[in-house]
Amino acid sequence: MEIIDLHCDVLLKLTTLEEPKFRNDSRLHANKERLQLGQVKAQVFAIFIDPEIPQSMQFLEVMRQIEAFHTQVLQTEGMVHITEWSQLDTLAPHEIGAILSLEGCSAIGEDLTKLSAILDAGVMLVGLTWNEENAVAYGAEQDASLGLKPFGKEVVNMLNERDIIIDVAHLNEQGFWDVLPLAKHIIASHSNARAICDHPRNLTDQQAKALVEHGGHIHLVYYPHFIGDNATMDDLIEHIKHLASVVGIEHLGVGSDFDGIDMTIKGLAHAGEAQNLLEMLREHFSDEEVRGIAHNNFKQYLKKGAGT
Ligand SMILES: [Zn+2]
């Protein structure tokens, strides 16, 4: 069963590892061969900038990752750059869709021209922050009471004008509440349930409900730290069951975070094992519900707005 995965950090590895090969490099959780093996039909590739990189160098780093997306990912046979969501419906059987996202806006500083240039590269989803503070808002590891900054509203306006999906996965709580009524298209690309694992990267039930009320979906993340102590696939399924009970299973999907995570759960060590999760989900949910989580819910989400 095909999977649409809303988050991985392969681009970071492609710009930091020595002589990486996207096709089959075993150091990559989500290389081409593994995506194919795991029946990942479309993969979001995040541009992620390490906050340790000086501000003045960050935009260049974004460009390096976009360049790696072109020279490594898109140069690999069968990879297709998705710049219109409708392309997801026309991929040939051997093709895999590659979607760009921006994980945090720190690299743009206070310059909308930089954001515009990044969007022109074909970015389809934008997170306002990673875990730190930037000129736009405050990340999940900052004070939860600090909200969206004035420049953040300008950023949200530009994203709305260009029909970009705003990703709240790494935003702090007040930022989330401020963005919610402003965003035209909103999603949490890789977050779990705070009620099951109390981590600031996870969504409270209240946030999950409000997100879905505003047309958003929640894509669950495979990272053990956001699942719970000694996390197993069963524990990840507890998050899915919980959020399904809170917002409805038809609003859920997956965002693995492969290549952005330093540990994995057993049975989900890399993209090639992605079908294992679906197999276990079939013990709890109908085939139609599993198909929804795997890819169909996201396609329905696009039909409601972002894809048109
Ligand atoms: Zn992340």
Side-chain angles (χ1 to χ4, degrees), residues 7 9 48 103 130 169-170 190 201 226 257:
H7 195 86
D9 286 298
F48 165 73
E103 190 171 25
W130 190 59
H170 277 273
H190 57 305
R201 274 280 287 100
F226 305 153
D257 211 0

Side-chain angles (χ1 to χ4, degrees), residues 269-289:
H270 54 73
E273 298 191 338
Q275 292 295 318
N276 289 345
L277 175 62
L278 303 188
E279 217 160 282
M280 272 191 77
L281 281 172
R282 285 190 191 100
E283 293 172 17
H284 304 268
F285 299 105
S286 72
D287 209 50
E288 207 41 49
E289 288 169 332

Side-chain angles (χ1 to χ4, degrees), residues 24-67:
N24 57 7
D25 197 316
S26 63
R27 294 170 296 176
L28 303 176
H29 292 145
N31 65 35
K32 164 73 194 304
E33 283 187 4
R34 285 175 168 170
L35 290 173
Q36 209 155 20
L37 188 64
Q39 295 177 48
V40 179
K41 189 63 183 170
Q43 176 68 56
V44 171
F45 293 83
I47 301 164
F48 165 73
I49 307 303
D50 187 329
E52 299 293 313
I53 293 174
Q55 173 71 47
S56 62
M57 298 296 291
Q58 289 194 7
F59 186 70
L60 182 62
E61 203 51 38
V62 170
M63 293 299 132
R64 285 187 65 230
Q65 292 196 16
I66 290 171
E67 207 252 346

